[in-house]
Amino acid sequence: MELTSDAEIPNEEATPPPRRRGRKKSQVWDHFTIENVSGGCARACCKLCKQTFAYSSGSKIAGTSHLKRHITQASCPMIKNEKRSRLALTAGNESEQDGGSSEVPQLKRRYRVSGYPNALFDPERSLNCLAKMIILHDYPLHIVEQPAFVAFVESLNPRFKVLDVGSMEGEILAIYQREKENLVQTFANIPGRISLAIGLWTTSQTLGYISLAGQFIDSDWKLHRRMLNFMMVSSPHSENALSEAISLSLSDWNMKDRLFTITLDNDCSSHDIYSANLRDHLSNKHTLMLRGQLFVVRCYAHILNVVAQDVIASIHGTVYNIRESIKFVKASPSREEKFAEISLQLEIPSTKTLSLDMTTQWNTTYTMLEAALEYKQAFTVLETCDDNYNEAPSAEDWRKVEVVCAYLKLLYDSANVIAGTAEPTSNVFYHEAWKIQHELVNAIKSEDPMISNVAKDMHEKFDKYWKDCNLVLAIAVVMDPRFKLKLVEFSFSKIYGEDSSRYLKVVSDGIHELYQEYAAQPLPLTPAYVEQAEEANHAGAATTNPPSNETEKSKKNATAAPVGNAGDRLLDFDMYLSEIAVTQPARPEIEQYLEEALVPRHPEFEILNWWKVNSVRYPALSKMARDVLGIPMFMAAGPGGGSASSVFCVGTGNRVLDEYRSSLRPELVEALFCAKDWLQYQPIVEAPATSPAIVKMEM
């Protein structure tokens, strides 16, 4: 059959083939028509250039992708002729002035903002989000002037104008000030005291910074840590500079009389002098609890790092040989295969993988030594069958590694317990510290000189930490109702033997003396009586000078009050209890607490929730527990403290400020550091403004 001539081709109003069902929704049909041809087939015809394309053949439909490409990729000759003029003209207005170019087809795409179908563009919100992005992700401020970033932002919305660096600094400072004002209100409602965690920072210049973070437990018994200040000081390691920075910070946040403890990352040898100077300087300006005996606390992560580095350094030669041995094996696939064959022949059961360590993470050195120790025979055999390898440690070296790994494991396991606790309250640390102290004390007495020597080196510095902090650690664990003084008695008997009673008395006296300071403070009314007290105050204010005879009369007739007035009856009952308390004083809360049976140890036990529930039973003791449990024993722990993995970092005592931050003005550095900490506790992106109209964008 012959094809139908052009004259016989139906026009664009022709009815589509009967096999095509439903209304065509694609916008491509604004530019094509369907023409029937012989054999029940149909072709699509371009309205501009009249070219035809396959559309359907029997029951098969070709689709529209090739038709879209014809229009959008300028395959159409008519569109090619218009291409240069379209590139020179802007979409819309100028195309209409050019005459004819407005006929060039433009396929439209409709867009909706994900999650917000009716969103309106808000430049102020976009600017705020940009500033928060720079703060939270440590981007340099000059990113706003980089051409590629500006082009990217304009591609999203040409109406948003990116600020210059100076204006962006102002936006960041505004965010910092706004968040600080909110935090000041939060601190005003803290029911107890606040403890500080102090970090020392250095720069490539001679300048230094001090970071101050406050840790506290709120009225709902939730643990919080917030950055307070990030100050530049000329000499951050000076006690005078540090004490002045602390005083300035407390004054800035209206917490002059609410300081409980400070936690430092400082060297063991200087701790006594450092602590004494800080205590003397600050005690003249602030009231310190327990005569300042708990005032200066050392970071637990820091002592773990110091001890681990020292014991690794004691076998630095062997560590070097093991590191080079692993490098040799991993230098080529053939060597790895050969080492695997040797291990298989020796039937080494280890499943550990040999890996190199990171010199800035002591835990990676420990895992490297531990894995290499299991392949020690394979390394020895490898040296006999490969002339190129001569770094295998000797038998004595492997013995040293074995002893060192045994005691590094103590530190490693302890650090993992702390790092694995989301919000470690101070009671957690006693369990870890006393176990290490006990193991090292016993190891010193070992008849094996290698074990004894390693233990002595480790114990020298850890014992200094234990002596400095065992009182605060012990008081904290006594506040744990699962252990109280019982654990202190047990652990001291293991560490001190016959002298344990003397050390236990120091802890017991300290607990009772600290409790007396809290018991002497006025207690807040319980929630059940707050409303009644307020009503009583208002009633008292209404009568400036109530007659004394009327007052006595009301007391005498209290029993005759109407039965329905329950409030009056309860107030009389409170008066009755007060009179009994004078004649029959109740036993101190601390005595009741210590004599009660221990709470069962369950894995899901939450100590802060227990004190929240029992704060009515122990109103004074719960105030003491709130402050003690909120002591930051670990610089990087708790909310806002940073990454928990920093417990393994070498040299945590001095942090280094990068070159870019060092070049900024001190007030801007403080705004960036503090705002970054504060912003992580609230939603970053808020829902945009909406409009009933659907937002459409054309391209």
Side-chain angles (χ1 to χ4, degrees):
M1 176 180 292
E2 297 180 356
L3 293 176
T4 307
S5 64
D6 292 343
E8 296 173 338
I9 295 177
N11 59 22
E12 60 186 39
E13 303 296 332
T15 303
R19 293 185 179 87
R20 180 66 176 174
R21 296 182 180 180
R23 179 175 173 269
K24 299 177 180 61
K25 299 179 180 180
S26 175
Q27 296 183 31
V28 76
W29 299 114
D30 294 340
H31 312 285
F32 286 86
T33 59
I34 299 176
E35 301 178 351
N36 293 325
V37 295
S38 60
C41 299
R43 295 182 67 82
C45 180
C46 176
K47 292 181 179 180
L48 294 178
C49 66
K50 304 305 180 182
Q51 292 187 46
T52 62
F53 302 87
Y55 175 65
S56 69
S57 176
S59 60
K60 297 182 179 180
I61 304 296
T64 60
S65 298
H66 61 305
L67 305 182
K68 291 179 181 179
R69 287 194 296 269
H70 179 73
I71 297 298
T72 60
Q73 297 182 8
S75 298
C76 179
M78 296 294 293
I79 297 178
K80 285 183 179 180
N81 294 336
E82 299 286 346
K83 186 175 182 180
R84 291 184 180 180
S85 59
R86 284 191 290 110
L87 292 175
L89 300 175
T90 57
N93 295 334
E94 292 184 0
S95 63
E96 296 177 358
Q97 298 174 4
D98 194 44
S101 61
S102 60
E103 297 179 2
V104 177
Q106 298 287 329
L107 293 182
K108 299 179 180 180
R109 296 182 182 178
R110 295 178 175 87
Y111 293 92
R112 294 183 180 181
V113 179
S114 177
Y116 308 110
N118 302 327
L120 291 175
F121 171 64
D122 183 355
E124 291 297 326
R125 175 178 173 274
S126 297
L127 177 60
N128 186 260
C129 287
L130 175 58
K132 289 181 178 179
M133 181 191 76
I134 291 174
I135 293 171
L136 288 169
H137 299 286
D138 297 325
Y139 294 135
L141 270 70
H142 57 259
I143 190 177
V144 298
E145 294 181 349
Q146 294 176 351
F149 178 78
V150 174
F152 168 71
V153 172
E154 290 181 350
S155 71
L156 298 178
N157 195 320
R159 291 183 293 168
F160 179 65
K161 303 302 179 184
V162 182
L163 300 180
D164 57 21
V165 172
S167 300
M168 185 55 66
E169 286 185 6
E171 182 68 19
I172 289 172
L173 290 172
I175 291 175
Y176 162 77
Q177 193 60 41
R178 185 165 58 248
E179 296 300 325
K180 182 176 181 179
E181 291 173 0
N182 295 335
L183 198 55
V184 168
Q185 297 298 322
T186 300
F187 285 153
N189 298 321
I190 295 176
R193 290 177 171 254
I194 192 168
S195 293
L196 298 180
I198 311 297
L200 305 180
W201 294 71
T202 58
T203 66
S204 57
Q205 296 84 14
T206 57
L207 301 177
Y209 281 84
I210 294 176
S211 64
L212 298 96
Q215 185 159 303
F216 60 94
I217 296 174
D218 65 14
S219 56
D220 197 37
W221 288 88
K222 301 296 182 183
L223 182 67
H224 301 274
R225 183 184 291 193
R226 296 293 186 274
M227 182 76 77
L228 301 182
N229 295 96
F230 196 84
M231 303 178 180
M232 187 180 74
V233 293
S234 58
S235 180
H237 294 274
S238 165
E239 302 90 28
N240 291 334
L242 182 56
S243 58
E244 289 297 334
I246 294 173
S247 296
L248 182 61
S249 178
L250 294 174
S251 176
D252 186 30
W253 291 92
N254 299 322
M255 294 186 295
K256 293 181 179 180
D257 299 323
R258 305 180 71 179
L259 178 62
F260 190 54
T261 65
I262 61 173
T263 302
L264 300 173
D265 256 353
N266 64 310
D267 185 74
C268 316
S269 59
S270 61
H271 180 76
D272 289 341
I273 300 176
Y274 211 77
S275 301
N277 290 344
L278 281 176
R279 190 181 294 109
D280 292 343
H281 189 280
L282 291 171
S283 61
N284 296 329
K285 301 180 180 181
H286 312 286
T287 303
L288 304 182
M289 305 296 289
L290 198 59
R291 293 173 281 108
Q293 293 184 67
L294 310 179
F295 183 56
V296 181
V297 181
R298 290 178 55 199
C299 174
Y300 185 70
H302 182 74
I303 189 60
L304 293 182
N305 291 334
V306 169
V307 175
Q309 292 171 53
D310 284 353
V311 71
I312 291 173
S314 67
I315 57 167
H316 66 277
T318 305
V319 172
Y320 173 81
N321 287 342
I322 291 176
R323 191 179 291 127
E324 292 300 314
S325 297
I326 296 175
K327 288 180 182 178
F328 179 85
V329 170
K330 290 184 170 294
S332 67
S334 61
R335 290 179 180 174
E336 286 190 280
E337 184 177 349
K338 184 176 182 179
F339 188 81
E341 291 177 358
I342 294 174
S343 301
L344 187 62
Q345 292 173 1
L346 295 173
E347 297 181 352
I348 296 176
S350 176
T351 58
K352 292 183 172 62
T353 302
L354 292 176
S355 60
L356 291 171
D357 64 334
M358 299 172 56
T359 56
T360 57
Q361 298 278 335
W362 67 263
N363 60 313
T364 63
T365 304
Y366 162 67
T367 55
M368 178 187 74
L369 296 177
E370 186 184 36
L373 187 61
E374 297 194 6
Y375 291 98
K376 61 181 180 180
Q377 293 181 346
F379 282 112
T380 302
V381 173
L382 180 63
E383 189 174 36
T384 61
C385 61
D386 192 330
D387 295 336
N388 295 320
Y389 174 59
N390 54 7
E391 300 288 349
S394 64
E396 184 179 358
D397 290 336
W398 284 119
R399 171 63 178 153
K400 290 180 181 178
V401 172
E402 184 178 358
V403 173
V404 165
C405 282
Y407 289 97
L408 278 178
K409 189 177 188 302
L410 283 174
L411 309 180
Y412 179 78
D413 291 344
S414 181
N416 276 322
V417 168
I418 301 303
T421 306
E423 297 181 1
T425 45
S426 58
N427 61 297
V428 175
F429 296 83
Y430 184 84
H431 304 274
E432 303 305 315
W434 89 262
K435 285 186 291 187
I436 294 177
Q437 178 72 359
H438 177 233
E439 291 290 340
L440 294 179
V441 167
N442 287 340
I444 292 174
K445 304 173 185 177
S446 174
E447 296 179 358
D448 188 329
M450 189 173 294
I451 294 177
S452 178
N453 290 335
V454 171
K456 284 179 181 178
D457 293 338
M458 297 178 67
H459 183 260
E460 182 179 353
K461 288 190 175 179
F462 194 87
D463 184 59
K464 186 69 173 64
Y465 171 83
W466 175 257
K467 290 177 180 177
D468 291 336
C469 300
N470 76 80
L471 178 60
V472 64
L473 289 169
I475 292 178
V477 83
V478 170
M479 293 296 98
D480 190 332
R482 297 169 297 176
F483 302 102
K484 302 182 182 179
L485 266 174
K486 298 298 182 183
L487 179 62
V488 181
E489 293 175 7
F490 172 76
S491 57
F492 276 19
S493 66
K494 296 288 186 179
I495 296 172
Y496 299 114
E498 296 178 354
D499 293 335
S500 61
S501 59
R502 179 165 58 92
Y503 292 96
L504 183 62
K505 186 177 185 304
V506 174
V507 174
S508 180
D509 291 347
I511 293 171
H512 285 81
E513 185 178 346
L514 182 62
Y515 166 75
Q516 291 300 327
E517 295 188 38
Y518 280 92
Q521 299 174 6
L523 294 175
L525 290 174
T526 57
Y529 303 112
V530 169
E531 184 176 350
Q532 296 177 15
E534 291 178 350
E535 292 176 356
N537 289 337
H538 288 303
T543 306
T544 55
N545 294 308
S548 58
N549 59 339
E550 290 295 324
T551 303
E552 295 297 328
K553 183 179 179 180
S554 63
K555 289 182 179 180
K556 292 178 181 179
N557 296 332
T559 55
V563 175
N565 194 345
D568 289 343
R569 293 203 315 272
L570 292 177
L571 291 176
D572 290 343
F573 178 65
D574 292 341
M575 295 173 61
Y576 169 71
L577 293 179
S578 299
E579 293 174 358
I580 293 178
V582 173
T583 58
Q584 300 177 2
R587 297 174 62 232
E589 294 174 23
I590 185 66
E591 298 298 341
Q592 298 179 45
Y593 170 77
L594 293 176
E595 291 179 5
E596 284 185 354
L598 300 180
V599 173
R601 299 194 303 275
H602 295 297
E604 63 273 12
F605 177 81
E606 295 182 2
I607 187 170
L608 294 184
N609 188 57
W610 189 91
W611 277 106
K612 178 182 179 181
V613 172
N614 289 274
S615 59
V616 176
R617 295 177 58 209
Y618 304 113
L621 188 61
S622 64
K623 292 173 62 179
M624 171 177 159
R626 172 184 276 114
D627 292 343
V628 170
L629 294 175
I631 297 174
M633 305 297 298
F634 176 23
M635 294 289 294
S643 173
S645 62
S646 60
V647 68
F648 299 110
C649 290
V650 172
T652 55
N654 293 314
R655 300 163 179 83
V656 180
L657 201 63
D658 61 65
E659 293 293 334
Y660 172 71
R661 292 289 190 274
S662 301
S663 67
L664 300 177
R665 292 181 289 115
E667 59 269 24
L668 185 58
V669 175
E670 182 173 44
L672 289 170
F673 269 84
C674 293
K676 179 180 179 180
D677 178 73
W678 303 337
L679 289 174
Q680 65 179 303
Y681 299 103
Q682 64 180 25
I684 300 173
V685 179
E686 301 174 356
T690 58
S691 169
I694 296 177
V695 177
K696 298 181 180 180
M697 297 184 65
E698 299 184 359
M699 60 177 295

